[in-house]
Amino acid sequence: HAAFGVSRPWALAVASLALVNGRWKRRRAEPRCRTVGTAATAGEEGAARRVLVPVAQDSEEIETACITDVLVRAGADVTVASVEETLQVKMSRGLKVVADVLIAECKGQQWDAIVCPGGMPGAERLRDSTDLTALLKEQHSSGRITAAVCASPAVVFSAHGLLGDKATSYPAPKFKEIVGSSWMDAKAVVDGNVITSQGPGTSLQFALKIVEEMYGLGKAEELAAQL
């Protein structure tokens, strides 16, 4: 999996741990619309779920780490793909991450979930990747999971027509305006095959929600109790 550079203080992630631990069952009441069928149908029986996490220069490192860490713990086969010309990208707060592959190598493959971290202008670089755009649109039309956090629901998903009736994003006015009337003030929102979340401070809840949709509530609660 992707290699992370020298560690930095991750206060928001620690704060999220406190929010998650012992409180996962309360999240069952959070806003959602329809049920994603992935937990029962994704992939061959017994095969690891395949998750693609695209990254760019200035993607958000807490979000990227939470997504990859939690999904690997759940048993997913996570691939981190750079949308840049090089595998190594410098994240929004200076952390250097070496991706597994370039995004072009992911074309023509089937993914159980594609999960976009946020960060600016990283989200704009994800939005502008033609290879990623093609992957996201095919993923969405096939009914498989697409997920985005922070700026990416507004900057990436809205730009490519991937949002439905309900969504959230980083709660800055400019992003709320882009998402429009479908914007909700919630840590994570499930709308069909689309999962969205608000930012670094909700990244663990976001990742656990993806686990819930892919593997079921029991697996998400099991992981939450360990964090």
Side-chain angles (χ1 to χ4, degrees):
H1 300 293
F4 286 80
V6 178
S7 62
R8 297 172 64 89
W10 292 40
L12 282 174
V14 173
S16 288
L17 282 170
L19 287 171
V20 171
N21 191 26
R23 301 185 185 179
W24 182 248
K25 291 183 180 179
R26 301 169 89 183
R27 295 190 35 73
R28 298 174 69 174
E30 286 192 354
R32 52 190 300 128
C33 217
R34 303 188 305 276
T35 300
V36 178
T38 312
T41 61
E44 299 279 337
E45 182 67 29
R49 309 283 202 265
R50 302 186 70 226
V51 178
L52 178 63
V53 181
V55 294
Q57 302 284 7
D58 294 304
S59 289
E60 216 292 321
E61 45 264 76
I62 291 176
E63 295 161 3
T64 303
C66 284
I67 293 163
T68 56
D69 182 282
V70 172
L71 286 167
V72 167
R73 288 172 187 257
D77 179 7
V78 178
T79 297
V80 177
S82 169
V83 303
E84 308 293 349
E85 295 182 355
T86 59
L87 290 176
Q88 181 171 294
V89 297
K90 186 176 181 180
M91 310 296 272
S92 62
R93 301 300 185 271
L95 187 72
K96 295 177 181 177
V97 170
V98 180
D100 300 307
V101 296
L102 299 178
I103 193 68
E105 300 173 57
C106 301
K107 295 188 297 182
Q109 300 184 49
Q110 182 167 307
W111 304 94
D112 294 296
I114 300 178
V115 186
C116 296
M120 287 290 282
E124 295 176 334
R125 300 181 74 84
L126 296 183
R127 177 198 64 197
D128 296 340
S129 167
T130 56
D131 288 333
L132 177 58
T133 299
L135 282 162
L136 285 168
K137 288 185 174 181
E138 193 281 329
Q139 184 82 0
H140 184 72
S141 65
S142 71
R144 298 191 300 273
I145 291 174
T146 55
V149 61
C150 195
S152 284
V155 175
V156 183
F157 280 24
S158 182
H160 297 309
L162 302 178
L163 295 181
D165 298 328
K166 306 291 181 183
T168 193
S169 68
Y170 192 78
K174 63 179 180 180
F175 299 134
K176 292 168 69 174
E177 183 177 348
I178 293 171
V179 175
S181 60
S182 63
W183 192 90
M184 300 182 68
D185 188 8
K187 292 182 175 67
V189 175
V190 179
D191 184 6
N193 63 324
V194 180
I195 306 170
T196 53
S197 186
Q198 293 192 335
T202 65
S203 293
L204 280 173
Q205 292 94 333
F206 174 56
L208 286 166
K209 180 57 69 176
I210 298 169
V211 171
E212 180 183 336
E213 297 302 322
M214 292 181 67
Y215 294 94
L217 180 62
K219 186 64 173 181
E221 290 180 338
E222 175 189 332
L223 283 180
Q226 298 170 6
L227 296 177

